[in-house]
Amino acid sequence: MTGRPEPLFPLFGSLTQLDGVGAKTAQILTDAGTVKPADLLFTLPISGVDRRRRASIRDVIAPCVVTVEVTVGLHMPPKIKGRPYRINVEDAQTTFQLVFFHPRGDYLQKLLPTGQRRVVSGKLELFDGIAQIVHPDHVLPLAEAETIPAFEPVYPLHQGITQKTMWKATRSALTLLPDLPEWIDPGQKAREGWPDWAEALHLAHNPQSTTDLSPHHPARARLAYDELMAHQITLALARSRARRAKGIASRGDGALQARVLADLPYAPTGAQTRAIGDISADLAAEQRMNRLLQGDVGSGKTLVAMMALLQVVEAGGQGVMMAPTEILARQHYAGLEPLAAAAGIRLEVLTGRDKGADRAAKLAALAAGEISILVGTHAVFQKDVHFHDLRLAVIDEQHRFGVAQRMELGAKGRAVDVLVMTATPIPRSLALAQYGDMDVSVLDEKPPGRKPVQTALVSAARMDEVVAKLRAAVADGRQAYWVCPLVEESEVVEMTAAEERFKRLRAALGDDIVGLVHGQMPIAEKDAAMARFVSGDTRVLVATTVIEVGVNVPNASIMMIEGAESFGLAQLHQLRGRVGRGDAASTCLLIYQPPLSENGRKRLEILRETEDGFRISEEDLMMRGAGDVIGTTQSGLPRFRVADLERQAGLMAVAQSDARKLLHDDPDLTLPRGEGARNLLWLLEQDRAIRLISIG
């Protein structure tokens, strides 16, 4: 795939070749991210204005946009400087005024000569009972009036760019469209009634009514599908490339796994057994594993990961488990330790905190193969860390770790099998956007012994009652988390809120009963506070969301979330998952600040109704949109220009199967549809895919 195909050259040329775009306008557009004609073509109208010709302004109800033919009457220039210039005009039934501010010289005399007929279009308003249009959008002689579109598209604008500029430039860009071979499966295209690519762009930029602006309109649906398809071809290429990559077959004898299973107080769930089977087959195969293990809070991912790690140890290799933070790495270590002890193997933890002789000893044992499983943060990939025979990397909380980082991990030259674990149930469309290059196992059953968490809503006005109840629960030997509100402005404000709540609870419950953790604390202090809570020395832990992921204190059975309305659904679900891990019946109190918005109430009620993380995540997607659900900034989620993941979720799944089938039938994209797909990848600048094909 040597270079960009020639038919696409005009779309990647300069913006100044377009009508109405000079050097200055081109610079403004470029600064806003619109660099070439192709970018303009994928900037679709967001709404439209009805400019159909009316006989009279009496046919509409002000305020609204109206287009009428008028006879120009008397000009009334202002007597005092700064006042408006008014011109009387008359349509077929009535008179009204056109109003202008600060006109230059005789500009208006030339534009609207008295006694002549003109077509005007603009926003009609009533001012002191007089109908007027201030600064009409269009004033044209009858012969040119046809250039006003009956339904004018409205584009998203940047300062310094007008609708007129966008209209002209997009019309001009549409003339550059090349004739390209089709890349969509003909059956799929016919079933959906989708137009050809170039026709779809013409239709999308020339809507005839509001319904043409819907994401479900055939032209828009087709363009969205193109975008999803290009993205899924990239992921499918990465997947097939990873599959072709030689792995090391790790077949265990099951001896270590059997010891751990015998030591468990209960049998694994059906979902766990299925996931262990999938992973076991992947590990035993010659190809590299690239699998996602998706499981809700408390679905038992740790056991599944440990079984995978034990299989590579049985086969004579080593495994590593990576967590995003120090606290989490130590937590995993604590969770895996009893399992490693049952298996009789050596497990160690390595984080940035290991220094000097201690670190050197661990590194030596690792290189010698004495350590079978290493748990750590990204520190495990520093230059001086050498494994004896690393076969499997388990990565926790993937969404801090996009597709690009996964590829880097593979590029370290080790034929390492990769298992990614995420505790965030992600709606299917987003999971496909983010993990389309991976095979997926889902844990959708809770292990026996996990009790449901009772969830209740309570107004902050009843704070005294809440504290009194907490006092009684603590006296009864129970432990509680108290999560402070999420403050958008800054972590510092959040910290202040947490410290304030900490002081108040200490005054109410006693000094040695309450602990505090927040993101601004030094790591050692944070760990010490956590340790006191884990050991039961403190009964109540006041925290910001640093405890959202992974903290495990089985005795903690109460979760108080203050300012619950400020959190996202998925986040509240994660926080609630911190309780209900022990034998005691657990409760979660969502303390909200009245009055609740309609949306806020709906969010909290969904939580009260269900503990199913997947249902919660789908609702969250509907209510907040894709970017917010997984925080686009750190999610590695692609930014689509046309496709709308909330409203076109179904298209993503079709695009995935279509992309995988296309590559299955034509791995090097050399057949006619494959040629089309290559154009699509260049068109939508899927550089990663292009590199993968060129080196293919």
Side-chain angles (χ1 to χ4, degrees), residues 48-93:
V49 179
D50 183 351
R51 293 199 191 271
R52 278 172 306 175
R53 185 96 56 96
R54 309 281 178 174
S56 165
I57 62 168
R58 287 201 166 154
D59 295 348
V60 300
I61 296 163
C64 73
V65 172
V66 65
T67 307
V68 288
E69 185 182 321
V70 296
T71 303
V72 182
L74 191 64
H75 280 239
M76 295 176 281
K79 295 198 168 60
I80 303 166
K81 201 176 171 184
R83 289 283 170 86
Y85 189 119
R86 297 174 184 277
I87 303 174
N88 284 336
V89 292
E90 185 174 1
D91 66 24
Q93 295 180 19

Side-chain angles (χ1 to χ4, degrees), residues 492-550:
V492 180
V493 185
E494 249 170 76
M495 176 181 94
T496 319
E499 285 173 343
E500 193 52 43
R501 177 56 62 205
F502 171 61
K503 281 188 202 134
R504 289 192 184 173
L505 287 176
R506 276 177 69 170
L509 306 173
D511 283 5
D512 48 354
I513 294 213
V514 189
L516 170 70
V517 286
H518 57 68
Q520 302 289 306
M521 281 170 131
I523 286 179
E525 267 182 51
K526 214 186 299 185
D527 284 1
M530 288 299 310
R532 283 196 298 276
F533 185 61
V534 171
S535 67
D537 290 348
T538 48
R539 316 296 302 170
V540 177
L541 186 65
V542 175
T544 54
T545 50
V546 288
I547 62 148
E548 176 186 347
V549 187

Side-chain angles (χ1 to χ4, degrees), residues 15-16 20-31 34 160-162 165 169:
L15 287 171
T16 50
V21 180
K24 191 176 158 200
T25 303
Q27 192 53 55
I28 296 174
L29 284 167
T30 301
D31 292 344
T34 300
I161 303 289
T162 63
T165 307

Side-chain angles (χ1 to χ4, degrees), residues 466-467 469-483 505 509 513-517 529-530 532-534 536-543 547 551 553-561 575 578-580 586-589:
V466 171
V467 175
K469 282 215 169 114
L470 181 59
R471 190 184 296 115
V474 166
D476 204 21
R478 296 173 69 181
Q479 280 181 279
Y481 294 99
W482 188 297
V483 178
L505 287 176
L509 306 173
I513 294 213
V514 189
L516 170 70
V517 286
M530 288 299 310
R532 283 196 298 276
F533 185 61
V534 171
D537 290 348
T538 48
R539 316 296 302 170
V540 177
L541 186 65
V542 175
I547 62 148
V551 180
V553 182
N555 188 45
S557 58
I558 301 169
M559 171 61 73
M560 310 275 195
I561 304 175
L575 286 167
R578 299 295 117 229
V579 296
S586 295
T587 43
C588 172
L589 276 196

Side-chain angles (χ1 to χ4, degrees), residues 303-520:
L303 177 68
V304 176
M306 187 59 171
M307 286 297 163
L309 290 162
L310 289 174
Q311 180 168 333
V312 297
V313 176
E314 288 169 357
Q318 290 168 299
V320 62
M321 185 186 248
M322 286 170 58
T325 65
E326 186 124 356
I327 264 188
L328 264 181
R330 300 200 172 271
Q331 185 98 35
H332 275 307
Y333 176 66
L336 293 174
E337 213 170 21
L339 302 176
I345 58 166
R346 182 165 170 197
L347 170 84
E348 286 287 356
V349 61
L350 182 72
T351 65
R353 212 195 306 169
D354 291 287
K355 301 274 190 288
D358 187 28
R359 178 179 165 91
K362 280 185 188 175
L363 295 185
L366 193 65
E370 292 157 20
I371 296 174
S372 297
I373 299 174
L374 183 69
V375 179
T377 54
H378 290 73
V380 302
F381 281 117
Q382 283 166 353
K383 295 267 189 297
D384 61 346
V385 181
H386 300 288
F387 289 84
H388 177 63
D389 178 9
L390 178 62
R391 307 250 188 124
L392 170 64
V394 179
I395 303 170
D396 182 29
E397 268 317 320
Q398 153 79 23
H399 63 242
R400 318 271 148 101
F401 210 86
V403 178
Q405 285 98 324
R406 281 208 295 279
M407 294 194 159
E408 269 165 42
L409 189 80
K412 287 206 175 277
R414 306 192 180 107
V416 177
D417 284 325
V418 176
L419 177 67
V420 165
M421 301 197 302
T422 171
T424 318
I426 300 173
R428 180 133 191 256
S429 56
L430 296 190
L432 290 174
Q434 229 182 335
Y435 306 121
D437 59 326
M438 308 185 82
D439 301 302
V440 182
S441 296
V442 178
L443 296 181
D444 47 12
E445 302 169 41
K446 286 229 164 122
R450 290 282 308 214
K451 296 206 166 54
V453 178
Q454 283 292 306
T455 304
L457 274 57
V458 57
S459 157
R462 294 168 54 195
M463 193 61 88
D464 294 346
E465 277 175 61
V466 171
V467 175
K469 282 215 169 114
L470 181 59
R471 190 184 296 115
V474 166
D476 204 21
R478 296 173 69 181
Q479 280 181 279
Y481 294 99
W482 188 297
V483 178
C484 291
L486 192 65
V487 181
E488 289 302 329
E489 291 81 63
S490 75
E491 286 186 359
V492 180
V493 185
E494 249 170 76
M495 176 181 94
T496 319
E499 285 173 343
E500 193 52 43
R501 177 56 62 205
F502 171 61
K503 281 188 202 134
R504 289 192 184 173
L505 287 176
R506 276 177 69 170
L509 306 173
D511 283 5
D512 48 354
I513 294 213
V514 189
L516 170 70
V517 286
H518 57 68
Q520 302 289 306

